[in-house]
Amino acid sequence: MYADVIVNISSENVDKPYQYLVPEHLAEKIKPGCPVVIPFGNRTINGYVIDLSEKPQIDPARIKPITGIAAKINPVDGRMISLAWWIKDRFGGTMNQALKTVIPSSKKIKQLEVRTIEPLASKEELVSLLGEAVRRHYTAKERFLRELIEAGKLDYSLTTSKLNIASSVISKFESDGVIRIRSEVVYRNPFSDIDRTGFVKNTLNPAQQAIADEVKADIDTGKRRDYLIHGVTGSGKTEIYLDIIEHVIESGRQVIMLIPEIALTYQTVKRFYMRFGDRISVMNSKLSHGERYDQYMRAKRGETDIVIGPRSALFTPFERLGLIIIDEEHEGSYKAENVPSYHAREVAFRRGEDENAPVILGSATPSLEAYTMARAGRIRLFKLDSRAGGALMPTVHVADMREELKNGNRTVFSVKLRELIEDRLRKGEQAMLFLNRRGYSGSVSCRSCGHVIKCPHCDISMTLHNTGKLVCHYCGYSEQKPEKCPKCGSPYISSFGLGTQKVEEKLKDLYPSARILRMDADTTASKDSYEKILSAFANEEADILIGTQMIVKGHDFHKCTLVGILMADMSLNAPDFRAGERTFQLLTQASGRAGRGELAGDVVIQTYDPENYCIEHAAKADYEGFYDEEYGFRQVMNYPPARCMLSVLILSTTEEEAADISEKVRKKIDGYKDGNAVKDKALQIKTIGPADAPLAKARDIYRKIIYIKAGDYSLLVKIKDMLAEYADGLPATAALQFNFN
Ligand code: ADP
Ligand code: ZN
Ligand code: ZN
């Protein structure tokens, strides 16, 4: 057996591991993540095992044996390496890709340093120096002194750039003792100006207290469990997190708090800052490499207790991790889209188990995965059925847009929605209009009856290609687009979309004096615009907010008492087996925005498919009912979480090669299946495809896809490993990518 060893844990060196022989007597002990002592040149040094293999990379005679196991170098590094190894094993990709996911690059470290020029001389002395500079026509010195006298102190970089003063001039003043230059490495903390004095934490209500107490008691008695808090929007989940976090950090342990990037708003983070001050550190995608690395090192040195951030914050190298929280656990962004495409939930369970830290999931609309685990008793389920502070749940109205069309309403607003908008404008309350465009990618539906054209084999909507053909991206089945609706014969059948701009124009026509804000890809292109629009709306600078993405958290719009959801069923037509789940989540989360203050709220769901179970259950805020029906569908169709699923993406520069490799991959899977018969018919391996991937060609790379479903995850891992080995031998023009759905 051979071990790949890295000698220093930073990405540059991760690129070149060295191979060593694992001596017989250490074979049992050496695992990825293990710190080892190795001969290196003519010294012995410490390193970490990152991978094991049976293949020597060079002449075996030249591979030296590992000297021994090192006394602890850094336990965190070892742990993160073994976590990377687990990720690679479970989700695919190379060890290098996994390490890069888990350990940030130390390249391009640029610490944020602010240099300030402060006077040491008195004001009189400065003024007399200025007089001298003027007399002698030292214009640069004159400019500098004038600014310094006026401003009291100067920013170094602004002085050299804007005032155009040479650094030699500044150094001269410094060596003469006129000024001093103070430099500070800053960890940018956007909250440092906020005054925390007088902050009083909320007292938990009995329902919240019961949950917090149980978790805290488990922690204190060392009973490691995982939890799911299923609580409606505004039920006070965050308040529970805060209470438990406080308990954990008081016992000297550290906390990772995951929040989807989109919900990581100023308002959300402020709540944590008010409670914990500088003990928190915030990660987000706006941080530069250097800033991220700084935060990473701060955590490693134990300078923070709580890290708040999206998916990647899961890899914070805390030495005494005591708790992981995943808020809005159902969010799609917890799944990495690049290799290794891990899911934060699963990695959190793994890390939590390794480090004896519980995991708390929270959501108003738990993922089927989480809820299935809760039902099976694998995680403890808590429920919060009402809103904290007693705010009422909104009244939901479903507007059947087929009826509206029949009755001659050709506008995008139902009669009910218009009525309620007018009511709010009159009362000076606010409304949000949410355009559900998710999954809108050319699915074809009937405007008269709402019928959506689906693949007869997959129960997934087909996509209209510009050849006029409808194609199923799951199995490749295709047919000509019909002229008339196959169900009702109406000619109003098309792939249609509706833009936010259109909605804005129409609203303006109807209500010329209403103040309208729009939030979409166009208006949120610049850096802080997303946050600005939300703040403006929260400050009641507009009556109506139109948006394509529903903000899940962060802002309470107390005056917003109406939410209108246009095209509620659009996301049902996405070519994805989770389309129904996503729709239910979107509608429920959107409804949760209405009436969070004192005022009661209304929600109008506009749909062409009012009998759809996702819409019906969302309108009734009936999660359980939705879950049962959705789980039944997954079971019948063999989708997760009823079964496990692996998709294999076949990439090639030519279509022929992609097709050829796809067939070979399929044969390999079939061969594996024949050799590994599973008794229970329902749990047998089932293979679908190859078919064109939903994105059939991207940047001149052809993409085919094969889906494999099985009852047992480990079978899929074995298939993945077998195919990864096959992929190693492929020409450079082709590759395979794995994704566990
Ligand atoms: P969730 O995370 O479930 O959406 P939050 O914790 O954000 O809910 O609570 C919703 C609102 O209710 C917030 O404005 C919060 O400050 C308030 N709130 C929650 N719990 C309490 C409590 N026990 N006392 C007073 N206000 C509370
Ligand atoms: Zn029809
Ligand atoms: Zn199909």
Side-chain angles (χ1 to χ4, degrees), residues 410-712:
R410 288 175 174 254
T411 74
V412 296
F413 308 112
S414 59
V415 174
K416 185 80 198 168
L417 183 58
R418 281 219 305 262
E419 187 189 303
L420 290 172
I421 290 176
E422 283 155 27
D423 173 70
R424 297 315 193 260
L425 289 174
R426 242 189 336 264
K427 288 199 250 174
E429 294 173 12
Q430 293 176 299
M432 277 175 113
L433 297 186
F434 172 48
L435 216 76
N436 181 11
R437 297 193 57 190
R438 191 165 182 152
Y440 165 69
S441 57
S443 64
V444 169
S445 60
C446 169
R447 285 199 67 182
S448 301
C449 77
H451 178 71
V452 175
I453 301 189
K454 290 191 172 180
C455 170
H457 307 294
C458 304
D459 198 29
I460 268 165
S461 69
M462 293 199 287
T463 304
L464 183 63
H465 283 210
N466 44 19
T467 54
K469 272 197 167 156
L470 291 166
V471 181
C472 170
H473 286 310
Y474 260 52
C475 72
Y477 172 84
S478 83
E479 64 181 38
Q480 202 64 34
K481 174 183 169 279
E483 296 296 314
K484 284 178 182 162
C485 171
K487 205 170 151 204
C488 76
S490 158
Y492 291 108
I493 176 166
S494 57
S495 114
F496 71 101
L498 177 64
T500 42
Q501 240 165 326
K502 264 264 166 52
V503 173
E504 186 181 13
E505 279 167 29
K506 298 198 161 150
L507 265 182
K508 277 189 174 146
D509 286 348
L510 285 169
Y511 313 113
S513 63
R515 298 166 303 162
I516 300 170
L517 273 173
R518 181 160 61 87
M519 191 168 72
D520 55 21
D522 293 339
T523 60
T524 54
S526 73
K527 208 175 161 196
D528 301 319
S529 43
Y530 173 74
E531 189 91 40
K532 275 192 194 130
I533 293 173
L534 293 180
S535 303
F537 192 61
N539 294 333
E540 295 170 43
E541 289 163 31
D543 304 304
I544 302 172
L545 173 65
I546 306 169
T548 45
Q549 35 186 337
M550 190 45 63
I551 351 80
V552 280
K553 261 219 171 140
H555 287 258
D556 270 351
F557 306 111
H558 289 276
K559 273 283 177 73
C560 178
T561 57
L562 173 62
V563 168
I565 302 162
L566 315 179
M567 306 196 298
D569 35 9
M570 196 54 108
S571 55
L572 283 174
N573 307 331
D576 176 354
F577 69 87
R578 287 198 176 88
E581 183 179 3
R582 297 252 179 275
T583 304
F584 178 82
Q585 288 163 352
L586 280 168
L587 299 186
T588 310
Q589 298 281 351
S591 306
R593 304 306 318 179
R596 292 190 69 178
E598 317 269 278
L599 307 161
D602 285 283
V603 176
V604 179
I605 296 178
Q606 296 192 166
T607 174
Y608 289 95
D609 195 4
E611 291 96 23
N612 183 286
Y613 69 100
C614 303
I615 310 246
E616 276 189 339
H617 291 302
K620 285 190 281 185
D622 175 15
Y623 178 83
E624 296 272 336
F626 165 75
Y627 174 87
D628 287 335
E629 230 168 299
E630 182 67 19
Y631 193 85
F633 159 73
R634 303 283 176 95
Q635 218 161 11
V636 170
M637 301 301 287
N638 294 302
Y639 285 126
R643 305 281 181 272
C644 304
M645 183 163 155
L646 166 69
S647 45
V648 184
L649 194 61
I650 298 105
L651 306 166
S652 167
T653 51
T654 66
E655 203 166 3
E656 297 73 41
E657 190 184 45
D660 179 46
I661 293 173
S662 303
E663 286 309 325
K664 287 189 177 128
V665 167
R666 168 85 207 213
K667 286 217 177 75
K668 284 196 158 294
I669 300 166
D670 290 344
Y672 183 89
K673 188 178 154 184
D674 292 342
N676 291 272
V678 176
K679 269 202 212 102
D680 185 344
K681 218 174 165 204
L683 302 181
Q684 272 170 5
I685 297 170
K686 297 182 180 63
T687 315
I688 303 170
D692 283 347
L695 197 61
K697 185 181 174 188
R699 295 194 195 124
D700 291 325
I701 303 282
Y702 292 86
R703 298 151 56 94
K704 301 247 173 216
I705 198 155
I706 296 178
Y707 297 95
I708 314 161
K709 302 171 190 174
D712 182 359

Side-chain angles (χ1 to χ4, degrees), residues 202-203 205 208 234-239 271 388 553 556 596:
N202 288 324
T203 310
N205 65 34
Q208 291 170 315
S235 57
K237 297 184 290 297
T238 308
E239 220 46 56
R271 261 174 98 179
K553 261 219 171 140
D556 270 351
R596 292 190 69 178

Side-chain angles (χ1 to χ4, degrees), residues 15 46 48 65 80 97 109 144 163 173 222 253 326 400 627 704-705 736:
D15 282 343
N46 291 336
Y48 293 99
M80 297 318 277
Q97 286 167 322
I109 301 181
F144 176 77
L163 295 178
F173 279 122
R253 297 184 73 184
I326 307 184
D400 183 345
Y627 174 87
K704 301 247 173 216
I705 198 155
L736 301 186

